[in-house]
Amino acid sequence: PVDPGWPLPRITAYAKRVAATVAVVDDASAAGVGTALTAAMPALEVLASRELTAPAAPGNTRFTRHWMAGPAPAVYLPTSGSTGEPKIVVLSQATLQRSAELAVSCFQWRSGERLLNLAEPHTMSGLRNALVAAPLAGMSWLSSPPAQRRTLFELLDQIASLRPHRLVAAPMLLRQINLLGDRLDREALGSLKAVYCTGTDLDHDEVRCFHARFGLPVLNYYGLTETAGLCVSQSLDDWTPNDRSIGRAVGCELRVLRADGATARVDEPGELQVLQPLPMRGYLDDAAATAARFDGPWLRTGDVARIDRHGRTFLVGRSDSFIKSLGTEKIHPREIETVLLRHPSIADAAACGLPARGGGERIAIALVARSSEAIASDHDLIDWVLQHLGPAFRPSQLEWVSEIPRGAHGKALRHELARLFDHD
């Protein structure tokens, strides 16, 4: 799966990296995207999505031939890395299935229920929850394309019409619903049994407000693409609206290491590491990055956390090299910086994440102009980023400065960088 918001050149480059043999595109984009892909990869077979539901002719085995290739990886999922180019996480069939089984068990999903999963299939939660876990549980997965829920009111209409039992959404949705206040009838979400949030930090004031109005539990869960998603989660069995943790270990072991490599004490912060029986296979064609991600058999998350005496995990902060957007992807600042440094009016650039209302981070960029006469407008620079990287990388704040704060090794000091911007 690929983010459809990516520019065509990026989609094409990704297709080449994974040696794609078939591309499935939505019906509306079949002509434009398909033409671009086949121009770059003449041997690529392009199918419109309607062909997936068309009755197969007797003896037609082309889907089996392409997609059931024995020991081949089950999925490649792109993520962002320190090189400025997305790394590609390779997950086996066994890893993906185990992650789905853990989700069904941990989330207490039941046969006959209806799941509305708003995460897109190019994300771990979008792929695993809707396409693997829901069928495994015997649930009905309700499709809700972004084009059909461009506003909150369209989404609420869909919820009223589809009447899902379980809803997986980004934390920002809670804030948007809370802001409606009494304009939204309490029965609007009456079909739901629980809401599940991941991808960004939950604002617990929003959780309490939402629960007080609708009486619905909001479960926080955590995982990386590299862990096949779910590895820490809250539980319906002991959930309370005052729980600020991300939950307890799910199907894995957790440890927290201090900067000196020693095991942290109870409630002492350090890097969170995960030990799983079936971690990712690694990054595609990147043995060095794969090795760096592991500390022996333990997968390094790069997140700072603490674990209390009850086994609950609390995120303290993120590694300062990544920006966590309101979606479900980590964005490395270097991706944005590399693109901006190609702009003729920019001499230097550095990006960082600033706290966003409702959770997650917004992208802020400090810029140094090549000359005082060659300063581009904010609109032109944002458009430049969108053309090269797509909407997930849209900056929310730009600041022109005389120099970028950097350390002795030339790396941007992102904590100092953040002080250059106005905060919400």
Side-chain angles (χ1 to χ4, degrees):
V2 182
D3 184 349
W6 280 0
L8 273 175
R10 194 176 187 197
I11 293 176
T12 301
Y14 181 80
K16 289 180 177 178
R17 285 185 66 187
V18 300
T21 56
V22 177
V24 180
V25 299
D26 66 81
D27 298 345
S29 304
V33 176
T35 300
L37 285 172
T38 52
M41 303 174 66
L44 188 72
E45 180 179 5
V46 177
L47 304 175
S49 56
R50 64 179 178 274
E51 296 184 63
L52 295 182
T53 57
N60 185 346
T61 60
R62 64 175 174 168
F63 297 121
T64 300
R65 183 180 72 250
H66 286 307
W67 297 337
M68 313 253 325
V75 63
Y76 297 126
L77 281 179
T79 186
S80 297
S82 58
T83 62
E85 290 295 325
K87 292 185 177 67
I88 300 175
V89 176
V90 183
L91 300 174
S92 70
Q93 179 180 349
T95 298
L96 190 59
Q97 180 169 334
R98 185 174 188 276
S99 180
E101 292 169 347
L102 290 172
V104 171
S105 174
C106 177
F107 298 158
Q108 298 183 24
W109 289 350
R110 301 290 181 260
S111 177
E113 292 181 339
R114 294 183 294 276
L115 169 67
L116 182 56
N117 196 83
L118 299 183
E120 292 300 298
H122 65 273
T123 68
M124 190 66 241
S125 285
L127 176 78
R128 189 266 322 286
N129 290 347
L131 304 183
V132 188
L136 183 67
M139 303 173 77
S140 298
W141 168 49
L142 307 172
S143 177
S144 179
Q148 297 178 15
R149 48 179 168 89
R150 288 167 293 188
T151 68
L152 174 61
F153 299 103
E154 289 179 337
L155 174 58
L156 291 173
D157 285 344
Q158 286 192 4
I159 292 175
S161 174
L162 298 172
R163 296 192 60 77
H165 299 105
R166 314 282 179 161
L167 172 65
V168 180
M172 179 58 77
L173 180 62
L174 299 185
R175 177 171 176 79
Q176 292 174 330
I177 290 176
N178 287 338
L179 288 174
L180 288 178
D182 293 336
R183 289 175 290 172
L184 179 63
D185 191 287
R186 292 189 180 187
E187 293 304 312
L189 306 179
S191 66
L192 290 175
K193 296 180 179 180
V195 178
Y196 305 81
C197 288
T198 190
T200 61
D201 296 330
L202 269 176
D203 184 320
H204 289 85
D205 290 335
E206 300 292 351
V207 171
R208 286 192 293 270
C209 178
F210 183 87
H211 179 260
R213 180 164 180 77
F214 298 102
L216 290 171
V218 180
L219 270 71
N220 197 0
Y221 72 96
Y222 167 90
L224 310 177
T225 304
E226 289 88 340
T227 64
L230 179 66
C231 60
V232 185
S233 180
Q234 295 179 338
S235 170
L236 286 171
D237 293 333
D238 60 0
W239 184 87
T240 73
N242 297 316
D243 186 357
R244 292 180 172 271
S245 76
I246 57 174
R248 297 179 175 86
V250 176
C252 66
E253 294 181 41
L254 302 176
R255 74 177 183 183
V256 175
L257 293 188
R258 301 187 322 215
D260 61 6
T263 301
R265 297 184 298 271
V266 171
D267 273 329
E268 184 180 16
E271 184 191 42
L272 181 66
Q273 297 190 354
V274 182
L275 179 64
Q276 298 172 293
L278 292 169
M280 69 168 182
R281 284 191 176 188
Y283 296 116
L284 181 66
D285 299 330
D286 198 336
T290 300
R293 176 58 81 172
F294 287 92
D295 181 359
W298 293 83
L299 188 141
R300 305 179 61 181
T301 68
D303 285 325
V304 179
R306 62 181 177 85
I307 299 177
D308 71 6
R309 61 189 180 89
H310 301 293
R312 295 178 301 179
T313 303
F314 296 80
L315 284 181
V316 177
R318 305 188 187 280
S319 57
D320 62 2
S321 58
F322 287 97
I323 301 168
K324 197 66 176 289
S325 69
L326 287 176
T328 55
E329 295 181 0
K330 285 185 176 180
I331 294 172
H332 197 280
R334 193 61 188 166
E335 292 188 79
I336 306 172
E337 294 162 1
T338 299
V339 164
L340 284 170
L341 289 173
R342 298 175 191 159
H343 194 281
S345 68
I346 295 175
D348 199 3
C352 67
L354 300 179
R357 293 176 181 175
E361 294 175 324
R362 54 195 176 91
I363 299 170
I365 302 172
L367 302 165
V368 178
R370 291 191 179 184
S371 71
S372 58
E373 293 79 26
I375 297 179
S377 69
D378 287 3
H379 177 272
D380 288 341
L381 293 174
I382 292 172
D383 187 60
W384 178 271
V385 173
L386 294 179
Q387 287 181 22
H388 288 83
L389 294 173
F393 295 81
R394 183 186 185 92
S396 66
Q397 193 169 353
L398 301 174
E399 190 75 31
W400 293 95
V401 297
S402 59
E403 63 178 356
I404 303 294
R406 296 187 181 276
H409 299 289
K411 293 184 178 180
L413 301 175
R414 301 195 190 279
H415 293 298
E416 291 187 19
L417 185 66
R419 300 192 187 104
L420 301 175
F421 302 93
D422 294 328
H423 294 259
D424 288 342

